[in-house]
Amino acid sequence: MSTTTAELLKGAAELFPDEVVTQAHVRHLDLPGAGRFALITLDNGFDHTKPTTFGPQSLANLNAAIDQVEQEAAEGTIVGAGITGKPFIFAVGADLKGVELLKRHEDALAIGKGGHDVFKRLSALAVPTFAYYNGAAMGGGVEVGLHCTYRTVSKALPAFSLPEVFLGLVPGWGGCTLLPNLIGADRAVSVIIENSLNQNKQLKGRQVFELGIADALFEGADFLEQSLLWTASVLKGDVEVARADVDRGEAWDAAVARGRAIADAKVHGAAPAAYRALEIIAAAKDGDAQKGFDAEDTALADLIMGGELRSGIYAFNLVQKRGKRPAGAPDKNLARPVTKVGVVGAGLMASQLALLFLRRLEVPVVLTDIDQERVDKGVGYVHAEIDKLLGKGRINQDKANRLKALVTGVLDKAEGFSDADFVIEAVFEEIGVKQQVFAEVEAVAPAHAILATNTSSLSVTEMASKLKHPERVVGFHFFNPVAILPLLEIVRGEQTDDASLATAFGVAKKLKKTAVLVKDAPAFVVNRILTRFMGEIQNVIDEGTPVEVAEKAVEPLGLPMSPLVLLELVGPAIGLHVSETLNRAFPDRFTVSPNLKAVVEAGKRGFYVYDSGKPELDPEVAALLKQGDTVLTEEQVRARVLDAVAQEIGLMLDEGVVAEAQDIDLCLITGAGWPFHLGGVTPYLDREGVSERVNGKRFLEQGLASVPA
């Protein structure tokens, strides 16, 4: 390795004093019939809960290990070299904590060059090299293996990915160049672009083998032993590794075009990482690895110094850290045990909740409703979903039988809830109905039982106001579909006590949900922001801007779906109801659209029809629309919508709806699927100057989701 790179790594290490350093231990083995073999093991000295990463010092350690192996290979004292990880972990890539600290383009370039200069030495050794993917491998962990001659993978490997595009980077240590040349451009586009933009989808060991990334697949129990025996067979010539030829013709170009279509559909050109990765994949067609590595270095440095990556890392930290330690949650020791759950209602939402509580808590769950037919339907839904899990092999027959036996339905609340510790209602969204339900439950449930409401916009305090013990009522607002969206808004009413709140947070953790503490304010967080966002879109349509202009205006945000498609998913009637609730609370900012009202009254499920496979404005809806004559451009619409969102978030923070702007972003990412490259929304509003224009200040301090000053 050149002195320059050694100096670059040394300089980078000085910028990152808190690196969790990975060691690269070399040991020697005698492979039966093949000879002496050098095995490098990557290990940061911690167990599998702290995965191995590559910071500057870690790269320098791997480089020193390769120095030793290179000399032995040149002297002819070894027949091959391998690299593997500590138990359950191979390596999970660059240490992002170090990336956050970088302030200069040349320092970012050093990280890219340093990784390349170390990793590519593995392919330059005088002996064959082997990567043994024994456990989780992501990013640079995957890439170090791509530089080896051969690869094996464990059937037990749970997670394998190149997640860089998801975060706002490119696979910059060989991934964009080597992977398409190994498995073909189309499969590489699936791994690098499609999986990343599909919520960072992970591959399992068998899929890694079937894609052709690994040459052999072995059981987890004796993975390393089997890999080494296989290595001996390869070195002796008893096993010949055959790989399919890579199509470098039209198929390559078609794959890149498919990648662009995926990126356009997901981020609409709003985030550069996917497009930079595709440029490198396109250029890799000629097989010139060094040219590809240089392009990766440049792309990596440019993206590290860009706002999207900083927002992506910020979002990642919110979900991984803040999401696991909710701001403002009471002492967890105050939480009471939950050994039985009651669900009031047996409709679709209630049934989804029953299934979730059943699967995660594995305690008796009882549903009630107003007639036996509804109760039976709710229990039947849960049973059918358990059968689906059984059919997919996610649970065994014994577990399926046990879960089915735990869920029951009754008409009599006294019979169902007399020994329940936690009762949640999911009935019609009307305050009087919910107050009546809670009065009935309070009369029969134990004195310690938590009474939770899944309301999306109504006052938890008002709901509890007629009870003898309002202190045990808590908002427990899930997002639909319950099984997929991680967010749970936990709402503290004015009377809610710490023990009830702590119990709610304890249950949320067991449900594996991202819980955020929210003040009892109209529509809480996600629905309030989305209603203001959607309301402004609806306003400009009502005033005269064509529907397609209003929709296209917010495409540069790269949201998971357009506003009117989202409205269709939520349901226009629910959207109208929430806007009416917020209009009563804040009439100066939240309007009730007469056009939306007309769509709901006409019984329409949304604004679009899909006869051609693509959304097109429903002619019947078009006939209902009554518009003014003020037509705005896309830029004007976008500015108006963003100003409205920035104003609303500023007011919510002033009201103390959540502790900090970070909680707003966490809610939007986990409850509304807003993209990581926006960091939720506040980093984007800061970056675009909207925050200061509307509120006179940024939401986040410089460096938190942006390049440090």
Side-chain angles (χ1 to χ4, degrees):
M1 173 167 151
S2 68
T3 338
T4 325
T5 308
E7 285 168 359
L8 284 175
L9 280 178
K10 189 165 180 282
E14 285 166 7
L15 292 172
F16 185 18
D18 299 326
E19 176 185 352
V20 177
V21 177
T22 297
Q23 304 299 331
H25 306 288
V26 182
R27 59 185 167 132
H28 295 91
L29 311 160
D30 283 316
L31 297 184
R36 192 164 180 259
F37 185 81
L39 180 65
I40 300 169
T41 303
L42 303 169
D43 191 347
N44 62 4
F46 294 91
D47 68 14
H48 66 280
T49 59
K50 197 155 201 170
T52 307
T53 52
F54 292 118
Q57 185 55 53
S58 306
L59 286 172
N61 289 344
L62 176 57
N63 190 59
I66 296 172
D67 281 342
Q68 179 187 335
V69 172
E70 184 181 62
Q71 188 178 344
E72 291 169 349
E75 291 167 354
T77 58
I78 56 170
V79 293
I83 185 165
T84 193
K86 66 184 184 182
F88 309 110
I89 303 287
F90 182 78
V92 298
D95 192 322
L96 292 176
K97 292 194 296 296
V99 172
E100 286 176 84
L101 302 172
L102 298 174
K103 298 179 185 179
R104 301 184 312 161
H105 193 275
E106 55 265 43
D107 294 331
L109 199 61
I111 292 292
K113 279 188 62 58
H116 273 130
D117 285 357
V118 175
F119 288 3
K120 70 186 183 187
R121 296 181 70 200
L122 289 165
S123 56
L125 290 179
V127 293
T129 49
F130 298 77
Y132 307 128
Y133 292 124
N134 63 303
M138 296 172 203
V142 168
E143 290 170 300
V144 70
L146 295 177
H147 286 268
C148 294
T149 325
Y150 305 100
R151 285 154 295 282
T152 67
V153 67
S154 165
K155 282 184 186 174
L157 181 145
F160 182 104
S161 65
L162 289 169
E164 287 83 354
V165 166
F166 176 67
L167 292 170
L169 280 173
V170 298
W173 285 341
C176 290
T177 303
L178 297 176
L179 191 63
N181 280 294
L182 175 68
I183 62 173
D186 196 62
R187 288 177 166 190
V189 161
S190 293
V191 176
I192 294 169
I193 307 296
E194 189 170 20
N195 288 358
S196 277
L197 293 179
N198 188 13
Q199 291 301 307
N200 193 20
K201 182 183 173 189
Q202 301 293 317
L203 298 169
K204 300 274 195 280
R206 181 170 290 283
Q207 294 168 298
V208 173
F209 172 66
E210 287 168 354
L211 281 167
I213 300 171
D215 303 301
L217 176 73
F218 298 113
E219 293 291 346
D222 57 352
F223 169 71
L224 189 56
E225 292 86 336
Q226 291 302 319
S227 293
L228 291 167
L229 288 171
W230 180 84
T231 298
S233 300
V234 171
L235 292 171
K236 287 186 292 182
D238 297 345
V239 167
E240 194 173 326
V241 174
R243 294 184 186 137
D245 288 337
V246 170
D247 187 333
R248 297 180 187 282
E250 286 179 15
W252 195 291
D253 301 333
V256 173
R258 182 174 77 88
R260 287 216 166 86
I262 292 166
D264 287 344
K266 291 286 187 179
V267 300
H268 308 283
Y275 302 96
R276 293 295 292 268
L278 286 163
E279 284 169 18
I280 302 167
I281 293 169
K285 185 177 174 181
D286 64 8
D288 184 336
Q290 190 52 53
K291 192 173 81 177
F293 296 164
D294 291 343
E296 287 174 355
D297 287 341
T298 305
L300 205 60
D302 290 350
L303 292 165
I304 284 173
M305 299 315 291
E308 285 84 0
L309 170 70
R310 304 302 172 130
S311 296
I313 294 174
Y314 162 80
F316 184 79
N317 288 336
L318 286 182
V319 173
Q320 295 299 320
K321 294 174 185 171
R322 193 179 185 94
K324 291 178 171 58
R325 288 188 288 278
D331 181 350
K332 63 182 180 191
N333 294 318
L334 295 171
R336 294 189 285 262
V338 172
T339 60
K340 183 178 180 181
V341 173
V343 181
V344 185
L348 182 58
M349 190 68 179
S351 302
Q352 287 185 67
L353 295 180
L355 179 68
L356 180 69
F357 279 92
L358 184 66
R359 286 195 65 202
R360 297 285 184 235
L361 271 57
E362 294 191 23
V363 300
V365 175
V366 60
L367 296 108
T368 68
D369 212 314
I370 54 173
D371 60 52
Q372 193 63 46
E373 187 184 344
R374 291 178 201 227
V375 169
D376 292 344
K377 190 176 177 185
V379 174
Y381 169 88
V382 177
H383 281 195
E385 291 299 311
I386 292 167
D387 285 336
K388 283 183 195 170
L389 293 169
L390 178 64
K392 289 176 184 169
R394 303 270 294 279
I395 56 174
N396 60 27
Q397 187 67 57
D398 183 49
K399 179 84 170 272
N401 294 344
R402 199 162 69 251
L403 289 176
K404 283 184 181 180
L406 284 170
V407 63
T408 55
V410 295
L411 287 175
D412 182 3
K413 291 186 181 67
E415 181 190 341
F417 300 156
S418 62
D419 55 349
D421 306 301
F422 191 101
V423 180
I424 184 165
E425 68 74 24
V427 299
F428 186 66
E429 192 75 347
E430 209 282 309
I431 194 76
V433 175
K434 290 183 185 282
Q435 285 176 331
Q436 183 189 338
V437 161
F438 271 160
E440 291 170 5
V441 173
E442 186 181 47
V444 297
H448 68 272
I450 304 300
L451 307 185
T453 169
N454 184 45
T455 182
S456 58
S457 61
L458 300 175
S459 167
V460 174
T461 303
E462 192 180 344
M463 219 175 286
S465 62
K466 297 183 178 176
L467 298 179
K468 295 187 187 75
H469 295 285
E471 70 278 1
R472 56 181 175 150
V473 176
V474 65
F476 219 58
H477 180 218
F478 290 88
F479 289 79
N480 210 354
V482 170
I484 294 170
L485 289 173
L487 180 63
L488 182 52
E489 290 179 339
I490 295 186
V491 187
R492 180 171 208 155
E494 285 175 18
Q495 306 283 312
T496 310
D497 64 21
D498 282 354
S500 300
L501 203 59
T503 306
F505 274 100
V507 169
K509 189 171 185 180
K510 286 184 178 168
L511 294 176
K512 298 186 178 174
K513 291 295 180 186
T514 300
V516 175
L517 180 61
V518 180
K519 183 181 171 183
D520 187 17
F524 316 126
V525 177
V526 173
N527 284 346
R528 179 161 164 186
I529 293 170
L530 288 186
T531 304
R532 186 77 198 274
F533 174 83
M534 304 276 287
E536 214 51 53
I537 295 278
Q538 196 72 58
N539 287 343
V540 299
I541 292 171
D542 292 354
E543 290 164 18
T545 298
V547 169
E548 61 275 13
V549 174
E551 287 267 84
K552 273 184 75 70
V554 292
E555 273 190 2
L557 293 172
L559 299 176
M561 62 191 76
S562 76
L564 293 183
V565 173
L566 174 64
L567 181 67
E568 198 170 299
L569 185 73
V570 170
I574 293 173
L576 179 65
H577 173 75
V578 177
S579 69
E580 287 170 341
T581 302
L582 282 160
N583 171 254
R584 285 193 295 274
F586 310 114
D588 55 325
R589 301 193 309 279
F590 288 86
T591 53
V592 177
S593 163
N595 282 320
L596 178 57
K597 212 167 189 172
V599 167
V600 172
E601 284 168 0
K604 304 300 291 183
R605 292 184 58 190
F607 277 62
Y608 293 129
V609 287
Y610 296 84
D611 298 339
S612 65
K614 290 188 302 187
E616 290 173 1
L617 188 62
D618 182 340
E620 292 179 18
V621 170
L624 291 171
L625 295 182
K626 290 186 169 56
Q627 293 181 279
D629 51 13
T630 304
V631 179
L632 302 183
T633 64
E634 287 177 27
E635 290 72 21
Q636 288 170 322
V637 172
R638 187 161 56 250
R640 204 164 128 180
V641 170
L642 293 176
D643 284 5
V645 170
Q647 182 195 30
E648 202 59 40
I649 292 170
L651 291 166
M652 288 165 72
L653 292 172
D654 290 345
E655 291 168 29
V657 174
V658 287
E660 292 179 289
Q662 287 94 313
D663 293 313
I664 299 271
D665 293 321
L666 183 58
C667 285
L668 286 172
I669 292 163
T670 57
W674 280 38
F676 265 50
H677 70 259
L678 289 188
V681 69
T682 68
Y684 179 83
L685 295 171
D686 285 351
R687 194 163 67 237
E688 296 295 311
V690 181
S691 314
E692 291 192 45
R693 182 171 74 236
V694 174
N695 300 321
K697 60 181 180 182
R698 296 167 60 93
F699 285 116
L700 303 170
E701 61 189 70
Q702 185 73 35
L704 188 56
S706 50
V707 178

